[in-house]
């Protein structure tokens, strides 16, 4: 049963089973949390979660830590470089206080508190009166892991949120959500923050809740498309460059080739990695210069997170390129930690100094020595085109 | 600058350019208009030359006009093909008038749009075929492979595409083409997506002239604006093998 479907589906239950057997098994790696009886007085980092099961009637609410330790991580960019124990300890200690709500009717005191928390840039003291606790922690391929689900009777924010004035303004203005995302990004707010307030339903015309999983890709994609509009006008890089980085069993090989923007991401789930227990599976998604219109179904959210990270680099050097990202997922990636892993690992790869090559063949040969699966280069559309498709430059005397 | 043209012709010009670019620089002088555009990957280039006879009315000095082609396309959607459009430039605005309807659009800075250098390519073989044959040969290859091969011999012209299992082929023997000039057989292979877009945009010409070499760019020449305009389309080949 475990096969290509699992690699594409990543916990979306395409197999028809009531629970994803892979994710359920992976939960064994998560720490068992001791929950003190009674009501919870803790900090929200700040963080919220909006589920997608049962859409449009979903579970939504804040994430609250039991401890009052303010070092709990609010922004996933701070999780980069930490070890698995640290990441697990911090993320799965966050209790998911959630109530069932229709995404189009995000009203009520608990949702008000959720929205308030989403907009804050600093941790908030939060009090949760507990109705019921479900002990199982949660895993999601897009968001970081979280702790047990709590059905709250009441949620009180006993602190004043710190909301950037810019955010207050755009919330009032009722602009299109995509426009606001770009404005806030240019204002310097993090992808995590923008994703959080998008999912909380404070943006856009209709101000509805957006499942966390969808909001992550929506923000990566919206900013990515915006950066692309700029990048397409820049000169090309003038040499073949290779960047790499590895984090928690995710090994990235990034090739930038001179030419007009194109983007391709390939993934090998090595035998024994989370979604490919039985055999190695390779997936690929590609977009031409004009960009893509359909969802990147093979790579899914990782595609948009990786694309954004490379685009941020190209924007910073004001150049365009044809980009190939090859990701090998090793058995060290024991459980899905969220697409922030991809965004941050590629961002940090691009901070490094590239290795430069005279020819595509020498670059491929170099990369081949570093990877475990050779097939990626045969699956790459950009490499195939580069070798076979001539340009008019080749005939310009 | 003030010109009048059939909507049908403006549509064809716009659609042809949109196969490669979303913005273009139109160069006007007293005798007509020309546009050169190359796609971002430098795989194909299009050159349009239209003499002033291709317009219903034509008044222009030397002018360079940078235009967002998508805007023109969406504007023309509300016009009938039998309509006439008057296009005039005042300052940095371009105004389109169709009947009682006017629409103005901001021009793009023409200096920001580079005009490609057209490579001088000598090609040994030439064949003139009906537009419909050319389009059918391309469309038949859809979903078979991502490339199509054109081949000219002294006795026939062929377009074919070979997929993993399926094959499409259009064969036109000498007596079914208008003209054929070929000393020895030549063939080259091209990316199908470019030719598919071109096939959807070519509308008014009766014949298409194909100039071909061996593993060389193809030059496709045809008429627009009722024979008063000429389009030259250059497309770089694919080289097969590992």
């Amino acid at each position: 049963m475990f096969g290509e479907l699992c690699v594409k589906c990543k916990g979306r239950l395409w197999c028809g089973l009531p629970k994803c057997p892979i994710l359920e098994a992976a939960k064994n790696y998560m720490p068992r949390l001791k929950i003190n009886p009674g009501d919870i007085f803790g900090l929200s980092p700040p963080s919220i979660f909006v589920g997608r099961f049962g859409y449009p009637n979903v579970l939504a609410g804040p994430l609250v830590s039991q401890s009052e330790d303010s070092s709990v991580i609010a922004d996933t960019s701070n999780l980069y470089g930490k070890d698995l124990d640290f990441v697990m300890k911090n993320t799965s200690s966050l209790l998911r206080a959630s109530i069932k709500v229709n995404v189009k009717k995000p009203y009520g005191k608990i949702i008000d508190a959720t929205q308030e928390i989403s907009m804050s840039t600093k941790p908030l003291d939060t009090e949760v009166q507990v109705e019921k606790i479900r002990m199982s922690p949660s895993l999601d391929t897009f968001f970081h892991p979280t702790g047990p689900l709590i059905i709250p009777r009441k949620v009180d924010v006993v602190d004043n949120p710190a909301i950037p004035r810019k955010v207050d303004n755009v919330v009032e203005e009722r602009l299109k959500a995509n426009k606001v995302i770009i404005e806030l990004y240019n204002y310097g707010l993090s992808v995590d923050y923008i994703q959080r307030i998008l999912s909380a339903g404070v943006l856009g015309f209709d101000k509805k809740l957006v499942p966390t999983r969808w909001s992550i890709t929506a923000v990566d994609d919206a900013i990515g498309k915006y950066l692309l509009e700029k990048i397409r006008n820049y000169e090309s890089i003038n040499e073949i460059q290779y960047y790499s980085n590895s984090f928690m069993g995710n090994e990235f090989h990034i090739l930038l080739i001179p030419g007009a923007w194109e983007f391709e991401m390939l993934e090998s789930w090595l035998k024994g990695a989370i979604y490919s227990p039985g055999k190695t599976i390779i997936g690929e998604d590609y977009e031409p210069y004009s960009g893509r219109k359909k969802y990147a179904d093979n790579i899914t959210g990782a595609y948009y997170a990786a694309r954004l990270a490379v685009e941020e680099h190209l924007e910073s050097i004001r150049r365009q390129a044809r980009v190939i990202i090859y990701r090998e997922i090793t058995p060290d990636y024991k459980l899905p930690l969220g697409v922030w892993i991809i965004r941050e690992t590629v961002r940090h790869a691009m901070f490094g100094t590239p290795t430069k090559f005279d020819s595509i063949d020498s670059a491929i040969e170099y990369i081949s020595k570093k990877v475990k699966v050779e097939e990626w280069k045969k699956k790459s559309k950009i490499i195939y085109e580069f070798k076979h498709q001539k340009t008019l430059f080749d005939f310009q005397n | 600058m003030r010109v009048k043209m059939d909507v049908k012709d403006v549509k064809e010009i716009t659609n042809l350019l949109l196969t490669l670019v979303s913005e273009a620089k139109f160069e006007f002088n007293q005798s007509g208009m020309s546009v050169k555009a190359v796609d971002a990957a430098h795989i194909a280039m299009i050159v349009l030359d239209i003499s002033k006879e291709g317009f219903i009315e034509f008044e222009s000095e030397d002018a360079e006009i940078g235009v967002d082609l998508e805007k023109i396309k969406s504007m023309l959607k509300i016009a009938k093909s039998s309509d006439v459009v008057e296009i005039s430039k005042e300052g940095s605005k371009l105004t389109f008038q169709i009947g009682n309807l006017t629409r103005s659009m901001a021009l793009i800075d023409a200096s920001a749009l580079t005009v490609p250098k057209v490579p001088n390519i000598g090609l040994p073989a030439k064949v003139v075929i009906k537009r419909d044959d050319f389009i059918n040969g391309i469309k038949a290859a859809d979903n078979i492979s991502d490339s199509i091969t054109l081949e000219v011999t002294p006795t026939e012209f062929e377009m074919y595409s070979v997929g993993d299992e399926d094959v499409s082929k259009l064969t036109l023997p000498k007596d079914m083409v208008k003209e054929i000039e070929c000393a020895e057989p030549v063939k080259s292979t091209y990316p199908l997506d470019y030719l598919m877009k071109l096939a959807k945009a070519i509308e008014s010409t009766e014949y298409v002239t194909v100039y071909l070499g061996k593993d060389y760019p193809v030059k496709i020449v045809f008429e627009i604006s009722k024979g008063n305009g000429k389009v030259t389309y250059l497309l770089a080949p694919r080289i097969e093998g590992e």
Side-chain angles (χ1 to χ4, degrees):
Chain A
M1 130 184 141
F2 299 117
E4 285 179 36
L5 187 69
C6 298
V7 165
K8 281 192 182 186
C9 156
K10 301 186 176 84
R12 284 180 281 177
L13 304 178
W14 289 359
C15 55
L17 294 171
K19 282 182 173 178
C20 172
I22 292 175
L23 291 183
E24 288 304 308
K27 284 183 183 171
N28 292 330
Y29 291 102
M30 296 177 73
R32 289 281 152 201
L33 208 60
K34 253 177 79 183
I35 300 181
N36 305 322
D39 295 342
I40 295 158
F41 301 89
L43 277 178
S44 183
S47 186
I48 70 159
F49 189 83
V50 178
R52 68 184 195 286
F53 289 110
Y55 190 87
N57 298 308
V58 298
L59 284 167
L63 300 183
V64 183
S65 162
Q66 277 195 102
S67 73
E68 302 211 357
D69 176 4
S70 62
S71 68
V72 190
I73 302 298
D75 202 284
T76 51
S77 60
N78 299 333
L79 290 174
Y80 177 79
K82 305 288 195 292
D83 62 27
L84 184 62
D85 273 355
F86 180 91
V87 172
M88 290 312 301
K89 222 178 103 202
N90 277 281
T91 57
S92 53
S93 71
L94 293 169
L95 305 172
R96 245 181 86 196
S98 288
I99 52 156
K100 200 80 166 182
V101 59
N102 185 306
V103 294
K104 286 182 189 150
K105 294 173 190 150
Y107 315 124
K109 286 196 171 150
I110 292 178
I111 296 302
D112 287 347
T114 306
Q115 295 184 330
E116 196 179 348
I117 290 168
S118 79
M119 290 191 282
S120 178
T121 51
K122 68 160 182 118
L124 294 176
D125 274 321
T126 306
E127 191 182 328
V128 180
Q129 293 183 19
V130 179
E131 174 89 34
K132 228 193 281 175
I133 297 181
R134 289 195 207 145
M135 275 313 290
S136 169
S138 302
L139 279 179
D140 183 282
T141 311
F142 285 43
F143 197 55
H144 61 66
T146 60
L149 177 69
I150 287 181
I151 310 293
R153 207 175 318 128
K154 202 173 169 211
V155 174
D156 280 318
V157 181
V158 287
D159 211 350
N160 286 324
I163 302 175
R165 180 160 300 159
K166 180 85 184 164
V167 174
D168 263 338
N169 292 345
V170 295
V171 168
E172 290 299 314
E173 280 176 32
R174 297 181 77 88
L175 294 167
K176 259 183 121 171
N178 267 5
K179 226 174 171 170
V180 179
I181 290 170
I182 305 309
E183 257 189 58
L184 298 181
Y185 178 75
N186 282 335
Y187 183 73
L189 290 164
S190 75
V191 169
D192 271 17
Y193 179 88
I194 301 169
Q195 172 269 312
R196 193 166 72 227
I197 62 171
L198 175 67
S199 82
V202 296
L203 303 183
F205 286 126
D206 44 4
K207 305 213 186 287
K208 64 179 178 188
L209 299 177
V210 180
T212 295
R213 184 186 184 115
W214 304 349
S215 71
I216 292 171
T217 295
V219 171
D220 279 335
D221 190 33
I223 301 171
K225 285 199 169 112
Y226 159 75
L227 290 178
L228 204 49
E229 291 286 308
K230 300 167 81 175
I231 290 167
R232 284 203 198 97
N233 295 320
Y234 300 147
E235 299 281 313
S236 163
I237 56 165
N238 50 23
E239 68 222 328
I240 297 172
Q241 303 177 346
Y242 165 74
Y243 298 81
S244 67
N245 194 16
S246 170
F247 181 47
M248 290 228 212
N250 289 271
E251 293 173 4
F252 283 91
H253 306 274
I254 301 157
L255 199 55
L256 270 51
I257 304 169
W261 167 261
E262 274 177 278
F263 180 80
E264 180 174 39
M265 184 161 173
L266 301 111
E267 277 185 352
S268 291
W269 290 80
L270 302 184
K271 188 179 167 190
I274 169 97
Y275 287 114
S276 53
K279 60 169 184 176
T280 294
I281 291 162
I282 306 183
E284 188 258 4
D285 272 310
Y286 162 83
E287 69 182 60
Y289 179 74
S290 53
R292 69 176 305 129
K293 294 188 177 76
K294 286 187 196 148
Y295 183 62
D297 241 333
N298 296 312
I299 308 290
T300 70
Y303 179 95
Y304 299 92
R307 190 185 67 181
L308 174 62
V310 171
E311 286 175 348
E312 286 177 334
H313 168 74
L314 290 172
E315 170 63 20
S316 74
I317 61 167
R318 300 176 69 82
R319 287 285 180 276
Q320 62 176 317
R322 309 163 98 172
V323 180
I324 304 170
I325 296 188
Y326 173 52
R327 172 189 180 208
E328 272 186 354
I329 302 106
T330 75
D332 286 342
Y333 195 46
K334 291 192 177 60
L335 65 176
L337 297 173
V339 294
W340 63 270
I341 287 261
I342 286 102
R343 195 184 307 113
E344 293 308 323
T345 310
V346 177
R347 273 177 173 167
H348 283 83
M350 305 315 290
F351 294 154
T353 309
T355 312
K356 295 170 183 176
F357 295 93
D358 297 334
S359 73
I360 188 113
D361 286 326
S362 56
I364 292 168
E365 200 187 312
Y366 180 83
I367 299 170
S368 290
K369 289 189 185 125
K370 295 174 161 264
V371 302
K372 290 162 195 79
V373 181
E374 290 260 348
E375 257 176 283
W376 73 278
K377 61 190 177 199
K378 290 190 187 129
K379 288 237 175 182
S380 165
K381 184 175 163 67
I382 290 181
I383 290 176
Y384 183 89
E385 291 291 317
F386 190 87
K387 289 187 158 186
H388 295 87
Q389 178 63 57
K390 296 278 171 186
T391 72
L392 291 172
F393 281 139
D394 298 326
F395 302 93
Q396 213 142 24
N397 302 320
Chain B
M1 194 276 301
R2 194 187 66 85
V3 298
K4 271 190 186 175
M5 197 178 220
D6 284 326
V7 163
K8 198 167 161 284
D9 293 334
V10 184
K11 270 188 184 167
E12 188 173 11
I13 292 167
T14 311
N15 288 339
L16 283 166
L17 291 169
L18 275 170
T19 64
L20 298 183
V21 289
S22 56
E23 298 170 347
K25 176 150 83 180
F26 290 74
E27 294 173 288
F28 283 85
N29 59 36
Q30 287 172 0
S31 57
M33 179 194 89
S34 78
V35 195
K36 299 184 187 78
V38 64
D39 78 313
H42 274 265
I43 290 169
M45 187 180 288
I46 192 163
V47 180
L48 265 107
D49 290 296
I50 300 171
S51 69
K52 65 179 179 188
E53 288 76 23
F55 296 81
I56 297 165
E57 282 175 30
F58 187 91
E59 278 170 34
S60 185
E61 297 297 313
D62 290 358
E64 288 186 343
I65 296 173
V67 179
D68 182 333
L69 297 163
E70 292 288 352
K71 279 191 188 170
I72 298 188
K73 187 179 175 169
S74 73
M75 189 204 59
L76 290 177
K77 275 186 188 149
I78 49 175
K80 289 196 289 286
S81 284
S82 55
D83 285 343
V84 169
V85 55
E86 181 179 300
I87 307 167
S88 55
K89 180 190 170 239
E90 271 165 44
S92 61
K93 282 254 183 282
L94 197 63
T95 302
F96 288 72
Q97 183 164 359
I98 305 163
N100 298 326
L101 199 73
T102 50
R103 180 155 162 185
S104 291
M105 60 177 76
L107 291 171
I108 296 168
D109 178 10
S111 64
L113 297 166
T114 50
V115 173
K117 197 172 146 235
V118 183
N120 193 7
I121 289 167
L123 293 159
K126 173 187 173 186
V127 58
V128 183
I129 61 173
K130 284 198 184 114
R131 179 200 61 158
D132 290 349
D133 287 335
F134 180 69
I135 289 175
N136 288 342
I138 294 165
K139 289 191 173 167
D142 196 16
N143 292 326
I144 290 187
S145 155
D146 58 7
S147 63
I148 184 167
T149 302
L150 310 190
E151 183 168 358
V152 185
T153 72
T155 56
E156 63 181 16
F157 173 64
E158 280 191 330
M159 304 171 82
Y160 56 87
S161 195
V162 182
D164 290 337
E165 286 168 351
D166 303 349
V167 175
S168 76
K169 190 180 217 177
L170 175 87
T171 307
L172 296 173
K174 204 173 177 176
D175 59 347
M176 287 182 72
V177 303
K178 193 181 174 203
E179 204 183 316
I180 200 163
E181 278 174 31
C182 178
E184 54 184 68
V186 286
K187 65 170 182 177
S188 301
T189 300
Y190 301 97
L192 183 65
D193 51 347
Y194 282 79
L195 289 173
M196 280 295 275
K197 284 186 191 166
L198 179 67
K200 285 177 188 160
I202 297 183
E203 284 200 25
S204 62
T205 189
E206 194 178 346
Y207 290 99
V208 171
T209 306
V210 177
Y211 296 89
L212 202 68
K214 185 171 170 291
D215 291 333
Y216 231 68
V218 62
K219 184 158 97 177
I220 299 160
V221 180
F222 53 93
E223 291 180 345
I224 44 168
S225 296
K226 299 157 207 77
N228 296 305
K230 185 176 107 169
V231 180
T232 306
Y233 185 94
L234 287 170
L235 178 60
R238 270 169 183 276
I239 307 300
E240 294 306 307
E242 181 56 31

